[in-house]
Amino acid sequence: MNAVTPAPSRSFDFEDWLKAAQAARRIDLSHPMQKGMPIHPAHPPFHITLNNRHGDVLRSCGHSSSNELMVTSTHSSTHIDALCHVSEHGALYGKYDAGREQQGTGLFKVLGAETIAPIFRRGVLLDVARALGVDALDPAHEITVAELEAAEAASGTRVGEGDVVLVRTGWAAYWPDSPKYLGLDSAGAPGPGVEGGRWLAARKPFSVGSDTSAFEVMNHHNITLEVHMILIAQNGIHIIENLTLDELGAAGQGSFAFVAQPLRITGATGSPVRPLALL
């Protein structure tokens, strides 16, 4: 009879994991949701206001409360794109017919934000700005395959299947200045071009993300959003936009634990997230 080694107890596994998580340095990779924040022109504006104020209703015991009304796109501030967000010639990822799946009074019947499981994966930072020796990339700078490879080499790790790959351009510093951040007062915003998108897709990550509003290069003279189509519609790779990556870049660590919780918004094309890097 073969001896069987007992499996570790659940409590031991949990305590080990909890100690490691508590000892990790936690870096918040999200921007706040607030009035006046940059919103990509393709998405509706963000609005929030107090709906009830303290004193509007005062109960006999002294209790009063306040709450707010928020009107927002699921693509406001730091967010993740669901796979129903982009189609190619009318087809979603998996060859679902986009027109049919969006019919009716609800949202999408397939590939909505509620299908994105909680994310706890290895993250890899491709710090392109640092690899090129600049604080921030130029407007409408197209990140090439060579630049992605240089950033990967500098990270000390290699992008693998199932990773969350974050591309740092340095543009998070412009977040307080909406026109500059969105590239509206210049030629556009930086990001990977088509060849860079194909290079990323070939590595089969779970998701990619960046510190810009549209991930891919936004050159106002030729906006196609083809990289979105390559990643989402062709390969089923989620995109996370409007990350803040400067603190993570300064940490100088190429790989880390990436944690994020998309909201379970049934049929939605995206969801706000608050991602963390655990180092």
Side-chain angles (χ1 to χ4, degrees):
M1 182 180 291
N2 293 329
V4 177
T5 303
S9 70
R10 283 181 184 269
S11 60
F12 177 81
D13 285 349
F14 172 75
E15 288 170 4
D16 250 14
W17 176 88
L18 188 58
K19 286 177 183 176
Q22 289 174 336
R25 177 182 174 187
R26 283 162 277 188
I27 298 178
D28 193 332
L29 304 179
S30 69
H31 286 289
M33 299 186 78
Q34 62 191 84
K35 287 184 177 181
M37 66 180 175
I39 300 289
H40 189 278
H43 300 302
F46 174 83
H47 178 70
I48 189 167
T49 187
L50 285 177
N51 186 56
N52 292 334
R53 295 175 180 270
H54 290 287
D56 288 351
V57 176
L58 183 61
R59 303 188 187 278
S60 59
C61 65
H63 171 277
S64 185
S65 65
S66 180
N67 58 46
E68 55 282 312
L69 171 70
M70 182 168 70
V71 180
T72 183
S73 163
T74 55
H75 298 268
S76 294
S77 192
T78 308
H79 65 273
I80 187 168
D81 292 344
L83 297 184
C84 62
H85 180 46
V86 173
S87 63
E88 181 180 20
H89 299 301
L92 304 175
Y93 176 69
K95 303 304 179 185
Y96 292 101
D97 183 278
R100 182 165 55 245
E101 300 303 338
Q102 68 188 1
Q103 286 178 351
T105 57
L107 301 179
F108 279 87
K109 301 175 182 66
V110 296
L111 306 178
E114 81 283 4
T115 66
I116 310 172
I119 305 167
F120 191 1
R121 293 174 177 267
R122 188 179 79 145
V124 175
L125 179 66
L126 301 184
D127 195 337
V128 177
R130 185 172 297 243
L132 295 181
V134 297
D135 292 331
L137 301 184
D138 290 336
H141 175 95
E142 180 176 329
I143 297 173
T144 65
V145 169
E147 290 167 352
L148 290 170
E149 289 177 339
E152 182 185 42
S155 76
T157 189
R158 182 173 172 81
V159 175
E161 185 172 348
D163 287 346
V164 174
V165 184
L166 307 183
V167 178
R168 180 177 173 270
T169 70
W171 274 52
Y174 304 149
W175 178 260
D177 184 344
S178 289
K180 187 169 186 176
Y181 179 78
L182 297 171
L184 301 179
D185 62 357
S186 65
V194 168
E195 293 307 315
R198 289 175 179 153
W199 182 89
L200 287 163
R203 301 301 185 92
K204 299 182 179 180
F206 171 79
S207 178
V208 299
S210 76
D211 52 1
T212 63
S213 67
F215 181 74
E216 64 188 275
V217 62
M218 292 295 291
N219 187 324
H220 295 321
H221 301 295
N222 182 29
I223 297 177
T224 65
L225 292 173
E226 189 172 352
V227 177
H228 270 66
M229 192 173 68
I230 291 167
L231 293 168
I232 296 177
Q234 294 179 6
N235 290 281
I237 297 167
H238 297 280
I239 297 176
I240 304 173
E241 290 156 332
N242 296 322
L243 290 157
T244 175
L245 299 176
D246 290 350
E247 185 179 354
L248 182 60
Q253 188 166 319
S255 62
F256 47 91
F258 180 93
V259 182
Q261 290 274 54
L263 301 178
R264 296 179 67 185
I265 311 173
T266 302
T269 61
S271 167
V273 288
R274 187 175 183 179
L276 298 176
L278 304 182
L279 278 61

